[in-house]
Amino acid sequence: MIAPEEGDPVGRVTLDLVLMSDPGWPTDVALRLKADLVGLLSGVRGDVDWRVSVNSSALALAAQADPPSLVRTLTERLHGGTWDLALFVTDLPFRANARPVVLMLSRPERVALVSLPSFGWFRVSRRVRGAALYAVSELLAASAGPQEEEVQRPGGAERYIVLPGRSGRLRLLAGMVRANRPWLLFTGLSRVLAVVFATASFGLLSSDVWNVSRHLGAGRAGALTFLSITAVVAWLVIDHELWERPRGSLARHQARLYNLATVVTLYLGIAFLYAALFVLIALTALFLLPSGTLGPVLGHEPDASYYLVLAWFITSMGTVGGALGAGLEDDQVVRQAAYGERQRLGQRQDTTWPDTGG
């Protein structure tokens, strides 16, 4: 704690709160949090002048292999800095008693950690802001109570706020997929896009495709959509070795969660690609294939619904062709598109699941 500066009102002190964040999404969250906390912290302690700073630096993953050393590792990261309270913001998932950790508190060390995946997909900034205010209150021995279930590891000074049951695991999964930013997969897979567009362009000029598409019902079209997206996802996972192999009972839980997050991320990313391609093909078909061109082949004048079904069929064809392009992608590009930064780093360093007890 820093002593009152000259000219400050009697009894007022200045406290330094440092937000240590992983690069990428956690740093974005921390920067928004800093802007909010400057005003909100006055409600926690009215006699304190707060100085809030953000330090973006990857969390040392060595702590995951030895869970009891987590607090020590966090405090070592702060060595040499000027700080009174520290809040770590990470997109690594943690567990306590087999439940997803939202917030870890160590009052003796005056540090806390928030795990962004446990905040889910929506309203993350608001939830993190509430968790940060609660953490500061607890670190200052305030009396505010937690919103989630609280767990304390036997023999340890740290405390954990966790998510309950199945709903907590679903929220954790949603948060991990959110951290992976699946919408970036669209721009990351340039070779897939090239093959998809080439295949789709060929389909636009094929009279056989025109005839087949008019007999395509909604059920078959939907099945083709699912199969085409699945083909690209499967090829990406297999060819680029994105599947995590478990070792041990704890690692099996980690592997299931990471693999599920990977597959959901890839499905969403390819679905974005599919939707964009569908819109482009539909507009191109209306422009290049007037009713006078299609009428003699179909035996009747096509209506708007036919153009939509034609675009749907060609999009599925192009997406299946995209599986070939997926095999041409650079491995690093695919991993950057499919993984959040902390998840990618954890995979490369072959760490174990950071379970905090239970």
Side-chain angles (χ1 to χ4, degrees):
M1 181 178 295
I2 300 175
E5 299 179 359
E6 184 179 353
D8 282 348
V10 176
R12 294 192 65 82
V13 295
T14 300
L15 294 180
D16 283 303
L17 170 63
V18 58
L19 305 177
M20 297 288 294
S21 61
D22 287 327
W25 180 42
T27 295
D28 295 338
V29 173
L31 290 172
R32 289 194 297 269
L33 181 61
K34 174 187 174 181
D36 294 335
L37 286 179
V38 171
L40 293 173
L41 285 174
S42 60
V44 176
R45 280 278 296 271
D47 60 340
V48 173
D49 294 321
W50 294 93
R51 288 203 293 251
V52 183
S53 61
V54 176
N55 188 331
S56 180
S57 177
L59 181 65
L61 293 181
Q64 298 184 59
D66 182 17
S69 71
L70 176 59
V71 174
R72 183 176 68 252
T73 301
L74 296 181
T75 55
E76 287 175 353
R77 296 297 310 283
L78 298 164
H79 180 71
T82 301
W83 60 280
D84 296 290
L85 305 174
L87 178 65
F88 286 79
V89 182
T90 180
D91 58 3
L92 281 171
F94 288 82
R95 296 194 320 160
N97 292 346
R99 296 180 181 179
V101 170
V102 177
L103 178 66
M104 184 277 293
L105 294 163
S106 177
R107 187 180 293 174
E109 301 294 339
R110 295 172 296 155
V111 299
L113 178 143
V114 294
S115 176
L116 293 181
S118 294
F119 291 91
W121 188 293
F122 302 104
R123 299 178 294 177
V124 173
S125 294
R126 189 177 75 177
R127 288 170 173 169
V128 171
R129 185 167 60 245
L133 289 174
Y134 171 69
V136 172
S137 299
E138 285 296 294
L139 295 180
L140 292 176
S143 60
Q147 297 301 314
E148 286 92 357
E149 184 176 346
E150 184 175 313
V151 173
Q152 184 162 1
R153 186 170 57 83
E158 64 269 24
R159 297 159 52 216
Y160 301 92
I161 310 302
V162 300
L163 295 174
R166 181 175 299 177
S167 62
R169 291 191 291 270
L170 290 176
R171 197 166 101 173
L172 175 65
L173 174 63
M176 292 178 66
V177 174
R178 165 67 177 81
N180 286 343
R181 296 178 291 181
W183 52 89
L184 296 182
L185 193 63
F186 179 88
T187 57
L189 300 178
S190 58
R191 291 185 177 88
V192 173
L193 286 172
V195 175
V196 166
F197 283 123
T199 306
S201 298
F202 173 79
L204 275 175
L205 303 178
S206 172
S207 59
D208 291 334
V209 172
W210 302 347
N211 277 313
V212 170
S213 61
R214 67 176 175 173
H215 301 294
L216 191 67
R220 290 183 178 180
L224 280 175
T225 298
F226 175 76
L227 292 175
S228 62
I229 293 176
T230 299
V232 179
V233 171
W235 192 260
L236 283 170
V237 171
I238 296 171
D239 188 67
H240 297 279
E241 300 180 352
L242 301 181
W243 197 256
E244 182 74 10
R245 292 176 175 83
R247 289 179 298 276
S249 59
L250 189 60
R252 280 197 293 272
H253 181 92
Q254 174 195 10
R256 285 196 299 268
L257 183 60
Y258 270 83
N259 288 335
L260 185 56
T262 297
V263 170
V264 173
T265 298
L266 292 175
Y267 262 102
L268 289 177
I270 301 303
F272 290 142
L273 184 150
Y274 188 98
L277 180 64
F278 173 78
V279 173
L280 180 61
I281 292 299
L283 295 176
T284 304
L286 288 172
F287 180 76
L288 292 180
L289 301 175
S291 58
T293 301
L294 295 174
V297 176
L298 302 177
H300 61 84
E301 293 292 319
D303 55 12
S305 62
Y306 172 79
Y307 280 99
L308 292 177
V309 173
L310 175 64
W312 197 349
F313 181 47
I314 292 176
T315 300
S316 297
M317 289 176 53
T319 304
V320 171
L324 174 62
L328 302 175
E329 287 290 358
D330 178 72
D331 185 71
Q332 184 177 0
V333 171
V334 174
R335 288 181 177 275
Q336 287 177 348
Y339 285 79
E341 185 168 357
R342 299 308 304 156
Q343 285 78 8
R344 294 198 308 273
L345 185 57
Q347 295 273 355
R348 289 199 301 269
Q349 295 197 9
D350 193 25
T351 57
T352 59
W353 179 259
D355 197 334
T356 52

